[in-house]
Structure formats: C-alpha cells, structure tokens
PDB file of all heavy atoms in Angstrom:
ATOM      1  N   ILE A   1       4.466  -1.917  12.459  1.00 92.00           N
ATOM      2  CA  ILE A   1       4.932  -3.144  13.128  1.00 92.00           C
ATOM      3  C   ILE A   1       6.207  -2.866  13.919  1.00 92.00           C
ATOM      4  O   ILE A   1       6.412  -3.394  15.013  1.00 92.00           O
ATOM      5  CB  ILE A   1       5.167  -4.257  12.088  1.00 92.00           C
ATOM      6  CG1 ILE A   1       3.829  -4.739  11.518  1.00 92.00           C
ATOM      7  CG2 ILE A   1       5.936  -5.433  12.703  1.00 92.00           C
ATOM      8  CD1 ILE A   1       3.967  -5.679  10.337  1.00 92.00           C
ATOM      9  N   SER A   2       7.064  -2.003  13.363  1.00 90.00           N
ATOM     10  CA  SER A   2       8.353  -1.733  14.011  1.00 90.00           C
ATOM     11  C   SER A   2       8.193  -1.085  15.382  1.00 90.00           C
ATOM     12  O   SER A   2       9.070  -1.191  16.237  1.00 90.00           O
ATOM     13  CB  SER A   2       9.219  -0.834  13.123  1.00 90.00           C
ATOM     14  OG  SER A   2       8.765   0.512  13.148  1.00 90.00           O
ATOM     15  N   ASP A   3       7.064  -0.393  15.614  1.00 87.00           N
ATOM     16  CA  ASP A   3       6.822   0.219  16.922  1.00 87.00           C
ATOM     17  C   ASP A   3       6.633  -0.842  18.006  1.00 87.00           C
ATOM     18  O   ASP A   3       6.764  -0.546  19.199  1.00 87.00           O
ATOM     19  CB  ASP A   3       5.593   1.130  16.868  1.00 87.00           C
ATOM     20  CG  ASP A   3       5.883   2.467  16.188  1.00 87.00           C
ATOM     21  OD1 ASP A   3       7.050   2.902  16.220  1.00 87.00           O
ATOM     22  OD2 ASP A   3       4.952   3.057  15.623  1.00 87.00           O
ATOM     23  N   TYR A   4       6.305  -2.056  17.586  1.00 89.00           N
ATOM     24  CA  TYR A   4       6.060  -3.142  18.540  1.00 89.00           C
ATOM     25  C   TYR A   4       7.236  -4.104  18.652  1.00 89.00           C
ATOM     26  O   TYR A   4       7.552  -4.570  19.744  1.00 89.00           O
ATOM     27  CB  TYR A   4       4.790  -3.910  18.142  1.00 89.00           C
ATOM     28  CG  TYR A   4       3.542  -3.068  18.235  1.00 89.00           C
ATOM     29  CD1 TYR A   4       3.048  -2.405  17.118  1.00 89.00           C
ATOM     30  CD2 TYR A   4       2.878  -2.893  19.451  1.00 89.00           C
ATOM     31  CE1 TYR A   4       1.918  -1.607  17.198  1.00 89.00           C
ATOM     32  CE2 TYR A   4       1.739  -2.095  19.539  1.00 89.00           C
ATOM     33  CZ  TYR A   4       1.260  -1.465  18.418  1.00 89.00           C
ATOM     34  OH  TYR A   4       0.144  -0.664  18.503  1.00 89.00           O
ATOM     35  N   ILE A   5       7.896  -4.400  17.529  1.00 91.00           N
ATOM     36  CA  ILE A   5       8.985  -5.389  17.588  1.00 91.00           C
ATOM     37  C   ILE A   5      10.363  -4.748  17.473  1.00 91.00           C
ATOM     38  O   ILE A   5      11.370  -5.422  17.659  1.00 91.00           O
ATOM     39  CB  ILE A   5       8.817  -6.478  16.507  1.00 91.00           C
ATOM     40  CG1 ILE A   5       9.029  -5.906  15.101  1.00 91.00           C
ATOM     41  CG2 ILE A   5       7.453  -7.147  16.612  1.00 91.00           C
ATOM     42  CD1 ILE A   5       9.044  -6.963  14.009  1.00 91.00           C
ATOM     43  N   GLY A   6      10.401  -3.446  17.172  1.00 90.00           N
ATOM     44  CA  GLY A   6      11.676  -2.742  17.073  1.00 90.00           C
ATOM     45  C   GLY A   6      12.216  -2.711  15.654  1.00 90.00           C
ATOM     46  O   GLY A   6      11.977  -3.633  14.864  1.00 90.00           O
ATOM     47  N   ARG A   7      12.944  -1.651  15.320  1.00 92.00           N
ATOM     48  CA  ARG A   7      13.506  -1.502  13.978  1.00 92.00           C
ATOM     49  C   ARG A   7      14.549  -2.558  13.630  1.00 92.00           C
ATOM     50  O   ARG A   7      14.552  -3.088  12.508  1.00 92.00           O
ATOM     51  CB  ARG A   7      14.102  -0.099  13.830  1.00 92.00           C
ATOM     52  CG  ARG A   7      13.233   0.887  13.077  1.00 92.00           C
ATOM     53  CD  ARG A   7      11.929   1.219  13.756  1.00 92.00           C
ATOM     54  NE  ARG A   7      12.123   2.049  14.935  1.00 92.00           N
ATOM     55  CZ  ARG A   7      11.136   2.538  15.685  1.00 92.00           C
ATOM     56  NH1 ARG A   7       9.870   2.253  15.406  1.00 92.00           N
ATOM     57  NH2 ARG A   7      11.379   3.285  16.743  1.00 92.00           N
ATOM     58  N   PRO A   8      15.445  -2.946  14.544  1.00 93.00           N
ATOM     59  CA  PRO A   8      16.416  -3.992  14.189  1.00 93.00           C
ATOM     60  C   PRO A   8      15.744  -5.295  13.775  1.00 93.00           C
ATOM     61  O   PRO A   8      16.161  -5.949  12.815  1.00 93.00           O
ATOM     62  CB  PRO A   8      17.226  -4.165  15.485  1.00 93.00           C
ATOM     63  CG  PRO A   8      17.099  -2.851  16.184  1.00 93.00           C
ATOM     64  CD  PRO A   8      15.712  -2.379  15.891  1.00 93.00           C
ATOM     65  N   ALA A   9      14.678  -5.683  14.503  1.00 95.00           N
ATOM     66  CA  ALA A   9      13.971  -6.926  14.180  1.00 95.00           C
ATOM     67  C   ALA A   9      13.271  -6.836  12.831  1.00 95.00           C
ATOM     68  O   ALA A   9      13.208  -7.824  12.079  1.00 95.00           O
ATOM     69  CB  ALA A   9      12.951  -7.248  15.279  1.00 95.00           C
ATOM     70  N   VAL A  10      12.759  -5.651  12.501  1.00 95.00           N
ATOM     71  CA  VAL A  10      12.082  -5.479  11.216  1.00 95.00           C
ATOM     72  C   VAL A  10      13.058  -5.648  10.059  1.00 95.00           C
ATOM     73  O   VAL A  10      12.757  -6.322   9.065  1.00 95.00           O
ATOM     74  CB  VAL A  10      11.386  -4.093  11.143  1.00 95.00           C
ATOM     75  CG1 VAL A  10      11.022  -3.734   9.705  1.00 95.00           C
ATOM     76  CG2 VAL A  10      10.128  -4.099  11.986  1.00 95.00           C
ATOM     77  N   PHE A  11      14.250  -5.046  10.165  1.00 96.00           N
ATOM     78  CA  PHE A  11      15.225  -5.181   9.081  1.00 96.00           C
ATOM     79  C   PHE A  11      15.688  -6.631   8.935  1.00 96.00           C
ATOM     80  O   PHE A  11      15.876  -7.120   7.815  1.00 96.00           O
ATOM     81  CB  PHE A  11      16.415  -4.246   9.319  1.00 96.00           C
ATOM     82  CG  PHE A  11      16.217  -2.871   8.748  1.00 96.00           C
ATOM     83  CD1 PHE A  11      15.666  -1.861   9.521  1.00 96.00           C
ATOM     84  CD2 PHE A  11      16.540  -2.593   7.435  1.00 96.00           C
ATOM     85  CE1 PHE A  11      15.455  -0.586   9.002  1.00 96.00           C
ATOM     86  CE2 PHE A  11      16.339  -1.331   6.894  1.00 96.00           C
ATOM     87  CZ  PHE A  11      15.788  -0.318   7.690  1.00 96.00           C
ATOM     88  N   THR A  12      15.859  -7.326  10.045  1.00 96.00           N
ATOM     89  CA  THR A  12      16.208  -8.748   9.956  1.00 96.00           C
ATOM     90  C   THR A  12      15.092  -9.514   9.254  1.00 96.00           C
ATOM     91  O   THR A  12      15.345 -10.384   8.405  1.00 96.00           O
ATOM     92  CB  THR A  12      16.437  -9.339  11.368  1.00 96.00           C
ATOM     93  OG1 THR A  12      17.514  -8.642  11.997  1.00 96.00           O
ATOM     94  CG2 THR A  12      16.788 -10.817  11.284  1.00 96.00           C
ATOM     95  N   THR A  13      13.844  -9.192   9.572  1.00 96.00           N
ATOM     96  CA  THR A  13      12.691  -9.839   8.928  1.00 96.00           C
ATOM     97  C   THR A  13      12.675  -9.576   7.434  1.00 96.00           C
ATOM     98  O   THR A  13      12.382 -10.474   6.632  1.00 96.00           O
ATOM     99  CB  THR A  13      11.376  -9.337   9.556  1.00 96.00           C
ATOM    100  OG1 THR A  13      11.400  -9.571  10.972  1.00 96.00           O
ATOM    101  CG2 THR A  13      10.171 -10.047   8.949  1.00 96.00           C
ATOM    102  N   PHE A  14      12.989  -8.330   7.035  1.00 96.00           N
ATOM    103  CA  PHE A  14      13.069  -8.008   5.605  1.00 96.00           C
ATOM    104  C   PHE A  14      13.974  -8.999   4.874  1.00 96.00           C
ATOM    105  O   PHE A  14      13.613  -9.541   3.819  1.00 96.00           O
ATOM    106  CB  PHE A  14      13.654  -6.601   5.394  1.00 96.00           C
ATOM    107  CG  PHE A  14      12.736  -5.470   5.749  1.00 96.00           C
ATOM    108  CD1 PHE A  14      13.251  -4.204   5.972  1.00 96.00           C
ATOM    109  CD2 PHE A  14      11.376  -5.652   5.849  1.00 96.00           C
ATOM    110  CE1 PHE A  14      12.430  -3.144   6.295  1.00 96.00           C
ATOM    111  CE2 PHE A  14      10.532  -4.602   6.172  1.00 96.00           C
ATOM    112  CZ  PHE A  14      11.069  -3.337   6.405  1.00 96.00           C
ATOM    113  N   PHE A  15      15.149  -9.217   5.436  1.00 97.00           N
ATOM    114  CA  PHE A  15      16.142 -10.014   4.724  1.00 97.00           C
ATOM    115  C   PHE A  15      15.855 -11.511   4.792  1.00 97.00           C
ATOM    116  O   PHE A  15      16.205 -12.246   3.866  1.00 97.00           O
ATOM    117  CB  PHE A  15      17.541  -9.659   5.236  1.00 97.00           C
ATOM    118  CG  PHE A  15      17.868  -8.204   5.060  1.00 97.00           C
ATOM    119  CD1 PHE A  15      18.303  -7.422   6.131  1.00 97.00           C
ATOM    120  CD2 PHE A  15      17.704  -7.579   3.827  1.00 97.00           C
ATOM    121  CE1 PHE A  15      18.577  -6.072   5.976  1.00 97.00           C
ATOM    122  CE2 PHE A  15      17.974  -6.225   3.656  1.00 97.00           C
ATOM    123  CZ  PHE A  15      18.399  -5.465   4.733  1.00 97.00           C
ATOM    124  N   VAL A  16      15.206 -11.958   5.844  1.00 97.00           N
ATOM    125  CA  VAL A  16      14.775 -13.359   5.904  1.00 97.00           C
ATOM    126  C   VAL A  16      13.735 -13.624   4.813  1.00 97.00           C
ATOM    127  O   VAL A  16      13.831 -14.599   4.058  1.00 97.00           O
ATOM    128  CB  VAL A  16      14.192 -13.701   7.289  1.00 97.00           C
ATOM    129  CG1 VAL A  16      13.504 -15.067   7.261  1.00 97.00           C
ATOM    130  CG2 VAL A  16      15.288 -13.704   8.348  1.00 97.00           C
ATOM    131  N   LEU A  17      12.741 -12.737   4.719  1.00 97.00           N
ATOM    132  CA  LEU A  17      11.693 -12.901   3.714  1.00 97.00           C
ATOM    133  C   LEU A  17      12.246 -12.819   2.295  1.00 97.00           C
ATOM    134  O   LEU A  17      11.888 -13.624   1.418  1.00 97.00           O
ATOM    135  CB  LEU A  17      10.615 -11.827   3.904  1.00 97.00           C
ATOM    136  CG  LEU A  17       9.746 -11.943   5.157  1.00 97.00           C
ATOM    137  CD1 LEU A  17       8.827 -10.728   5.289  1.00 97.00           C
ATOM    138  CD2 LEU A  17       8.916 -13.222   5.123  1.00 97.00           C
ATOM    139  N   GLN A  18      13.132 -11.853   2.058  1.00 96.00           N
ATOM    140  CA  GLN A  18      13.693 -11.702   0.717  1.00 96.00           C
ATOM    141  C   GLN A  18      14.639 -12.843   0.367  1.00 96.00           C
ATOM    142  O   GLN A  18      14.716 -13.255  -0.799  1.00 96.00           O
ATOM    143  CB  GLN A  18      14.415 -10.358   0.608  1.00 96.00           C
ATOM    144  CG  GLN A  18      13.468  -9.172   0.630  1.00 96.00           C
ATOM    145  CD  GLN A  18      14.186  -7.852   0.445  1.00 96.00           C
ATOM    146  OE1 GLN A  18      14.463  -7.428  -0.688  1.00 96.00           O
ATOM    147  NE2 GLN A  18      14.491  -7.183   1.533  1.00 96.00           N
ATOM    148  N   LEU A  19      15.337 -13.368   1.362  1.00 96.00           N
ATOM    149  CA  LEU A  19      16.223 -14.502   1.117  1.00 96.00           C
ATOM    150  C   LEU A  19      15.413 -15.704   0.655  1.00 96.00           C
ATOM    151  O   LEU A  19      15.779 -16.382  -0.324  1.00 96.00           O
ATOM    152  CB  LEU A  19      16.989 -14.835   2.402  1.00 96.00           C
ATOM    153  CG  LEU A  19      18.257 -15.693   2.273  1.00 96.00           C
ATOM    154  CD1 LEU A  19      19.238 -15.087   1.282  1.00 96.00           C
ATOM    155  CD2 LEU A  19      18.912 -15.875   3.637  1.00 96.00           C
ATOM    156  N   ILE A  20      14.291 -15.953   1.327  1.00 96.00           N
ATOM    157  CA  ILE A  20      13.401 -17.045   0.926  1.00 96.00           C
ATOM    158  C   ILE A  20      12.879 -16.809  -0.487  1.00 96.00           C
ATOM    159  O   ILE A  20      12.866 -17.714  -1.334  1.00 96.00           O
ATOM    160  CB  ILE A  20      12.220 -17.172   1.914  1.00 96.00           C
ATOM    161  CG1 ILE A  20      12.725 -17.616   3.291  1.00 96.00           C
ATOM    162  CG2 ILE A  20      11.172 -18.160   1.392  1.00 96.00           C
ATOM    163  CD1 ILE A  20      11.679 -17.535   4.386  1.00 96.00           C
ATOM    164  N   ALA A  21      12.474 -15.566  -0.766  1.00 95.00           N
ATOM    165  CA  ALA A  21      11.914 -15.234  -2.076  1.00 95.00           C
ATOM    166  C   ALA A  21      12.933 -15.423  -3.197  1.00 95.00           C
ATOM    167  O   ALA A  21      12.641 -16.054  -4.221  1.00 95.00           O
ATOM    168  CB  ALA A  21      11.410 -13.788  -2.062  1.00 95.00           C
ATOM    169  N   PHE A  22      14.144 -14.894  -3.021  1.00 95.00           N
ATOM    170  CA  PHE A  22      15.147 -14.981  -4.092  1.00 95.00           C
ATOM    171  C   PHE A  22      15.654 -16.416  -4.294  1.00 95.00           C
ATOM    172  O   PHE A  22      16.034 -16.783  -5.407  1.00 95.00           O
ATOM    173  CB  PHE A  22      16.311 -14.039  -3.791  1.00 95.00           C
ATOM    174  CG  PHE A  22      16.040 -12.615  -4.171  1.00 95.00           C
ATOM    175  CD1 PHE A  22      15.842 -11.642  -3.196  1.00 95.00           C
ATOM    176  CD2 PHE A  22      15.953 -12.225  -5.500  1.00 95.00           C
ATOM    177  CE1 PHE A  22      15.572 -10.327  -3.538  1.00 95.00           C
ATOM    178  CE2 PHE A  22      15.685 -10.920  -5.860  1.00 95.00           C
ATOM    179  CZ  PHE A  22      15.492  -9.961  -4.868  1.00 95.00           C
ATOM    180  N   ILE A  23      15.661 -17.217  -3.247  1.00 95.00           N
ATOM    181  CA  ILE A  23      16.069 -18.620  -3.391  1.00 95.00           C
ATOM    182  C   ILE A  23      15.019 -19.417  -4.158  1.00 95.00           C
ATOM    183  O   ILE A  23      15.349 -20.238  -5.031  1.00 95.00           O
ATOM    184  CB  ILE A  23      16.327 -19.261  -2.011  1.00 95.00           C
ATOM    185  CG1 ILE A  23      17.601 -18.679  -1.381  1.00 95.00           C
ATOM    186  CG2 ILE A  23      16.453 -20.782  -2.130  1.00 95.00           C
ATOM    187  CD1 ILE A  23      17.824 -19.117   0.054  1.00 95.00           C
ATOM    188  N   LEU A  24      13.732 -19.153  -3.880  1.00 94.00           N
ATOM    189  CA  LEU A  24      12.658 -19.961  -4.458  1.00 94.00           C
ATOM    190  C   LEU A  24      12.168 -19.466  -5.822  1.00 94.00           C
ATOM    191  O   LEU A  24      11.704 -20.270  -6.636  1.00 94.00           O
ATOM    192  CB  LEU A  24      11.476 -20.017  -3.492  1.00 94.00           C
ATOM    193  CG  LEU A  24      11.726 -20.709  -2.140  1.00 94.00           C
ATOM    194  CD1 LEU A  24      10.454 -20.686  -1.295  1.00 94.00           C
ATOM    195  CD2 LEU A  24      12.183 -22.154  -2.346  1.00 94.00           C
ATOM    196  N   LEU A  25      12.261 -18.192  -6.084  1.00 91.00           N
ATOM    197  CA  LEU A  25      11.683 -17.629  -7.308  1.00 91.00           C
ATOM    198  C   LEU A  25      12.142 -18.293  -8.611  1.00 91.00           C
ATOM    199  O   LEU A  25      11.326 -18.489  -9.520  1.00 91.00           O
ATOM    200  CB  LEU A  25      11.956 -16.118  -7.374  1.00 91.00           C
ATOM    201  CG  LEU A  25      10.921 -15.235  -6.673  1.00 91.00           C
ATOM    202  CD1 LEU A  25      11.406 -13.800  -6.574  1.00 91.00           C
ATOM    203  CD2 LEU A  25       9.576 -15.285  -7.389  1.00 91.00           C
ATOM    204  N   PRO A  26      13.426 -18.665  -8.772  1.00 90.00           N
ATOM    205  CA  PRO A  26      13.837 -19.278 -10.048  1.00 90.00           C
ATOM    206  C   PRO A  26      13.126 -20.582 -10.368  1.00 90.00           C
ATOM    207  O   PRO A  26      13.067 -20.995 -11.536  1.00 90.00           O
ATOM    208  CB  PRO A  26      15.345 -19.525  -9.835  1.00 90.00           C
ATOM    209  CG  PRO A  26      15.746 -18.566  -8.781  1.00 90.00           C
ATOM    210  CD  PRO A  26      14.576 -18.453  -7.875  1.00 90.00           C
ATOM    211  N   ASN A  27      12.597 -21.250  -9.338  1.00 89.00           N
ATOM    212  CA  ASN A  27      11.973 -22.564  -9.553  1.00 89.00           C
ATOM    213  C   ASN A  27      10.459 -22.544  -9.441  1.00 89.00           C
ATOM    214  O   ASN A  27       9.820 -23.597  -9.493  1.00 89.00           O
ATOM    215  CB  ASN A  27      12.533 -23.560  -8.523  1.00 89.00           C
ATOM    216  CG  ASN A  27      14.039 -23.681  -8.607  1.00 89.00           C
ATOM    217  OD1 ASN A  27      14.596 -23.907  -9.678  1.00 89.00           O
ATOM    218  ND2 ASN A  27      14.730 -23.507  -7.478  1.00 89.00           N
TER     219      ASN A  27
END
C-alpha cells in the first residue's frame, strides 16, 4: 500500500487506527 500512498501516509494511518483501537478496546 505504501508504494501507492507513500510511507509518511502509511505511518499516520497506523497511528490513527491504533488510536481508535486503544480508545475503544476497554469498553
């Protein structure tokens, strides 16, 4: 995927997804 959207965008996506996961997981 990074070959199409770029490595900076992929790392930002990682943290957006994980932020959602860690916020919601306790509930």
Side-chain angles (χ1 to χ4, degrees):
I1 290 171
S2 75
D3 283 333
Y4 295 95
I5 68 173
R7 259 65 72 177
V10 164
F11 272 92
T12 299
T13 304
F14 287 161
F15 301 127
V16 169
L17 291 174
Q18 291 183 84
L19 198 55
I20 294 170
F22 279 109
I23 290 172
L24 296 180
L25 273 170
N27 302 308

